[in-house]
Amino acid sequence: MGDSGSITPRIGSMKTLLGIVAGAGVSYGIYKLLSGGSFRRYKKSGGNEGLASKTSEGKSRSDSLLAKVSELDLVFSRNERTDDASGNIIHQSVSNLEPQHLNMLLTCLKASNSTSERCRLLLTLGNAAAFTVNQNIIREYEGIPIIGGFLSDPAPEVKVQTLNALSNLCMNLQNQEQLKVYVPQVLQLIEMSPMNSDLQLAALRMLTNLSVTDKHQHLLKDAVTLLLHLLLVSDVTLQVQTLKVLVNMSSNPDMMDDIVQAQAPASVMLLFAAQTSSEVLMRLLTFTGNLKSWRPSAQVAEELRRNRDCLFRVMLDESSELHGRLVQLLSHPDKEIQAQVAHILT
């Protein structure tokens, strides 16, 4: 696959390289986005969860994308973290991996029978995939189906590392064309995995990255009900990640018909309370603001009212509790939350 020499004599050196790279405690995330893999920018300021304001015209396209995904959680090695807010946290050895090294990693991954070795290989490939140039190389070496195949691995830790690698590979539009086929499997993992597990979180991170632009959001239209129920039973970390996906989807007007028709638990209204984490509440309000910006015709609204359990009835209809709960939040101690509520109510 791009390297004509035999791989056997280099296995020893490959394992040495792997030990150095994977053992360095490097972290997942966006270190640098080169122009070749940059996404186009949304036209509206609410185009992506966590984007506080419109990106200035003076910023580069890569800066624009970084602003869009600035709140996507970086996945750190359990052995090491960094406080470098600039995101310059990728170990030099990973950034300097050459195409033949990535090819060797993929070859070793295909041949590996060890859970721990698979995790280390996937960890290293995921770290390398934080760079646009490596995202392209991995795709060109047909590495995406190799990595994606490990979503079916019986070991949960292998699935987690697989999802982390796929999440970074998602930050490339050409890669997304191959990665979209895994959406049903990723949604199944969210539904079937233990609640608040690393596996659920990693799966939601991948969907967040995949939904940064509107190109493949339609693949998630049947998952809205699942995501809304997840909000009610998960911890704060998972709630935040779930809302990132919902905010991304609701920022796309073309998705709104599917979102408002989704079955929604009435108890979602309980989240609009002072007791809810501010981090969760801010994203919930962003989601709500996106929903409120949708203006159905009288005929469409009347049809939606006939479905008592749909999101429209729960959050947008005149009979909804939402207005009263928003008024109560005007006295929330967090000034940002107050401002967001006031904006929705105007």
Side-chain angles (χ1 to χ4, degrees), residues 237-310:
T237 301
L238 224 68
Q239 284 178 317
V240 167
Q241 203 67 45
T242 301
L243 282 164
K244 288 180 179 182
V245 180
L246 288 170
V247 167
N248 285 351
M249 294 173 64
S250 63
S251 68
N252 179 4
D254 293 336
M255 289 295 300
M256 201 59 69
D257 287 349
D258 294 305
I259 293 173
V260 298
Q261 292 182 66
Q263 299 299 294
S267 49
V268 75
M269 285 292 98
L270 298 176
L271 294 173
F272 292 88
Q275 295 81 8
T276 299
S277 162
S278 294
E279 193 177 8
V280 172
L281 196 51
M282 277 299 296
R283 288 169 174 80
L284 183 61
L285 290 170
T286 303
F287 176 58
T288 302
N290 287 345
L291 294 179
K292 284 283 192 179
S293 68
W294 180 69
R295 296 288 186 269
S297 66
Q299 181 180 356
V300 170
E302 186 58 35
E303 290 176 0
L304 288 168
R305 287 190 184 99
R306 298 192 187 106
N307 186 350
R308 294 182 56 86
D309 298 324
C310 72

Side-chain angles (χ1 to χ4, degrees), residues 40-57 64 67-68 212-214 217 246-256 259 286-295 343:
R40 66 175 176 81
R41 184 169 54 184
Y42 275 119
K43 293 181 180 179
K44 55 187 285 190
S45 61
N48 183 266
E49 189 281 332
L51 185 59
S53 61
K54 290 183 180 179
T55 308
S56 66
E57 293 300 324
S64 173
K68 291 180 185 298
V212 166
T213 65
D214 56 18
Q217 290 173 352
L246 288 170
V247 167
N248 285 351
M249 294 173 64
S250 63
S251 68
N252 179 4
D254 293 336
M255 289 295 300
M256 201 59 69
I259 293 173
T286 303
F287 176 58
T288 302
N290 287 345
L291 294 179
K292 284 283 192 179
S293 68
W294 180 69
R295 296 288 186 269
H343 176 72

Side-chain angles (χ1 to χ4, degrees), residues 114-115 118 122 148-159 162 185:
S114 164
T115 295
R118 286 176 177 177
L122 289 163
F150 288 93
L151 287 175
S152 301
D153 194 278
E157 58 269 36
V158 172
K159 290 190 183 79
T162 299
Q185 194 172 358

Side-chain angles (χ1 to χ4, degrees), residues 61-78:
R61 292 185 67 191
S62 60
D63 288 339
S64 173
L65 178 57
L66 284 171
K68 291 180 185 298
V69 298
S70 61
E71 296 197 28
L72 302 186
D73 296 334
L74 303 180
V75 184
F76 291 92
S77 163
R78 294 185 180 274

Side-chain angles (χ1 to χ4, degrees), residues 152-278:
S152 301
D153 194 278
E157 58 269 36
V158 172
K159 290 190 183 79
V160 169
Q161 296 297 348
T162 299
L163 287 162
N164 288 337
L166 295 179
S167 292
N168 279 352
L169 289 167
C170 273
M171 303 307 294
N172 182 302
L173 283 178
Q174 289 179 280
N175 287 352
Q176 285 192 1
E177 290 301 316
Q178 295 185 33
L179 289 161
K180 66 184 181 182
V181 302
Y182 298 111
V183 168
Q185 194 172 358
V186 172
L187 289 172
Q188 187 178 37
L189 285 174
I190 293 173
E191 188 172 8
M192 304 302 293
S193 299
M195 185 55 56
N196 300 318
S197 62
D198 289 343
L199 194 49
Q200 278 190 325
L201 184 59
L204 286 166
R205 282 187 176 122
M206 179 186 168
L207 295 183
T208 304
N209 286 9
L210 190 68
S211 63
V212 166
T213 65
D214 56 18
K215 188 172 180 63
H216 302 300
Q217 290 173 352
H218 64 281
L219 299 174
L220 302 176
K221 66 180 182 180
D222 294 329
V224 176
T225 297
L226 169 64
L227 296 172
L228 291 171
H229 279 87
L230 200 60
L231 281 178
L232 298 174
V233 295
S234 56
D235 61 17
V236 169
T237 301
L238 224 68
Q239 284 178 317
V240 167
Q241 203 67 45
T242 301
L243 282 164
K244 288 180 179 182
V245 180
L246 288 170
V247 167
N248 285 351
M249 294 173 64
S250 63
S251 68
N252 179 4
D254 293 336
M255 289 295 300
M256 201 59 69
D257 287 349
D258 294 305
I259 293 173
V260 298
Q261 292 182 66
Q263 299 299 294
S267 49
V268 75
M269 285 292 98
L270 298 176
L271 294 173
F272 292 88
Q275 295 81 8
T276 299
S277 162
S278 294

